[in-house]
Amino acid sequence: MMTFRLRNINKQYALPLKFKTIKNRENFLVSKSNQEAVKLIENSKFWKTRNKINSIPAAIIYGPKGSGKTHLSKIFESVVNANYLTSLSSDCLEEVIEGKNFILDDFIPGKNFPSELVMHFINQVTYKECSVLFLSRLSPFEMNWNLEDLNSRIRSLVSSEITLPDDVLLYSFMVKYLNDKNLILSDKKLIYILERLDRSFENVIEIIDRLDMHSLEEKKKVTYKTINIVLHELNKN
């Protein structure tokens, strides 16, 4: 547990932050926006238990881009040693072996995940007693696979929503990440950035990394001019 003080014009209060250490990854911030999803993927009993015949431990984590789904899946990867896939092909079916585990990222109906192939995959991993974590920007009930059996199976899975961080939480994350970088920015500059940045952990990491690089190259403190240059660079991308 870490506590930072968030300052604004009229009041001052503490914010509790919890960080999960992930092998070969930056610390992952656990908050109200994702704590249920974290509990789900860290539940080793769930992922190793088959409650009935023809069932597999599988779940869907869903939420908008930038909410940290892929980063969060690295915890799952460390728990069950899973293969990471961004699409399915017939070759994938041949690679399914007994006890293998999978992460399917950006899981939505379409060319990367054709309905019939997804159905075959789920049947195959069920037979081989695998575990699967699906990551999607859509909830199970927003997906239409044009196969009633597949719709039913996807919608019957355990699911958990992960949302974008609010401004207070994102501010706190910025403070933590700036501390890690030994980079100093005033409250006014942090708020200035937040007002102009799309709200996600990935965007915060990206802009602070770039500001840190500019600071090292120019050998001086970060100015508003530098912030605007970096924001312009990010907007172009």
Side-chain angles (χ1 to χ4, degrees), residues 143-181:
M143 301 179 193
N144 183 5
W145 296 93
N146 294 317
L147 291 174
E148 282 307 309
D149 285 349
L150 183 55
N151 280 336
S152 178
R153 294 190 73 171
I154 294 297
R155 291 167 186 173
S156 69
L157 296 176
V158 173
S159 64
S160 182
E161 183 179 13
I162 178 172
T163 61
L164 290 171
D166 61 30
D167 289 338
V168 173
L169 182 59
L170 207 56
Y171 181 102
S172 302
F173 180 71
M174 290 178 77
V175 172
K176 169 64 173 63
Y177 198 63
L178 284 165
N179 286 345
D180 291 345
K181 290 284 187 179

Side-chain angles (χ1 to χ4, degrees), residues 6-220:
L6 174 59
R7 298 185 295 277
N8 65 22
I9 296 174
N10 297 316
K11 60 183 178 181
Q12 186 177 58
Y13 49 94
L15 292 171
L17 304 179
K18 295 180 181 178
F19 291 84
K20 294 288 181 182
T21 300
I22 305 173
K23 187 177 180 182
N24 299 326
R25 291 277 167 171
E26 296 152 358
N27 286 341
F28 184 84
L29 177 61
V30 181
S31 68
K32 288 182 179 180
S33 66
N34 57 35
Q35 61 186 4
E36 292 306 315
V38 172
K39 287 179 184 177
L40 172 61
I41 65 172
E42 286 190 320
N43 186 349
S44 58
K45 185 177 180 180
F46 170 81
W47 294 108
K48 295 175 182 177
T49 301
R50 273 127 184 109
N51 295 321
K52 57 183 179 180
I53 298 173
N54 294 329
S55 71
I56 56 170
I60 298 178
I61 304 295
Y62 66 94
K65 182 180 179 181
S67 56
K69 298 185 300 294
T70 303
H71 195 174
L72 179 60
S73 72
K74 298 302 173 181
I75 300 175
F76 177 80
E77 223 177 330
S78 67
V79 171
V80 301
N81 189 25
N83 275 11
Y84 178 87
L85 301 174
T86 56
S87 63
L88 276 182
S89 66
S90 55
D91 292 339
C92 296
L93 300 182
E94 296 175 4
E95 292 174 4
V96 176
I97 60 175
E98 188 171 352
K100 198 70 179 177
N101 305 301
F102 295 90
I103 298 169
L104 272 56
D105 198 1
D106 200 17
F107 181 68
I108 58 172
K111 64 178 182 179
N112 288 337
F113 294 102
S115 297
E116 291 188 3
L117 200 55
V118 171
M119 192 68 182
H120 289 314
F121 174 80
I122 291 178
N123 288 336
Q124 184 81 342
V125 295
T126 301
Y127 175 72
K128 295 293 185 179
E129 296 190 342
C130 306
S131 299
V132 185
L133 175 64
F134 300 95
L135 308 175
S136 182
R137 63 178 183 268
L138 302 178
S139 78
F141 291 91
E142 292 176 308
M143 301 179 193
N144 183 5
W145 296 93
N146 294 317
L147 291 174
E148 282 307 309
D149 285 349
L150 183 55
N151 280 336
S152 178
R153 294 190 73 171
I154 294 297
R155 291 167 186 173
S156 69
L157 296 176
V158 173
S159 64
S160 182
E161 183 179 13
I162 178 172
T163 61
L164 290 171
D166 61 30
D167 289 338
V168 173
L169 182 59
L170 207 56
Y171 181 102
S172 302
F173 180 71
M174 290 178 77
V175 172
K176 169 64 173 63
Y177 198 63
L178 284 165
N179 286 345
D180 291 345
K181 290 284 187 179
N182 292 317
L183 184 63
I184 298 173
L185 291 181
S186 68
D187 284 349
K188 288 183 179 180
K189 286 177 181 173
L190 292 185
I191 292 170
Y192 183 86
I193 292 170
L194 278 176
E195 290 174 342
R196 291 158 178 80
L197 193 68
D198 288 339
R199 202 171 76 229
S200 75
F201 295 127
E202 286 83 354
N203 285 337
V204 167
I205 290 170
E206 179 73 14
I207 193 168
I208 290 177
D209 284 347
R210 293 196 184 203
L211 289 174
D212 186 46
M213 186 180 299
H214 275 272
S215 178
L216 291 172
E217 289 175 351
E218 298 172 8
K219 296 182 180 179
K220 62 181 182 181

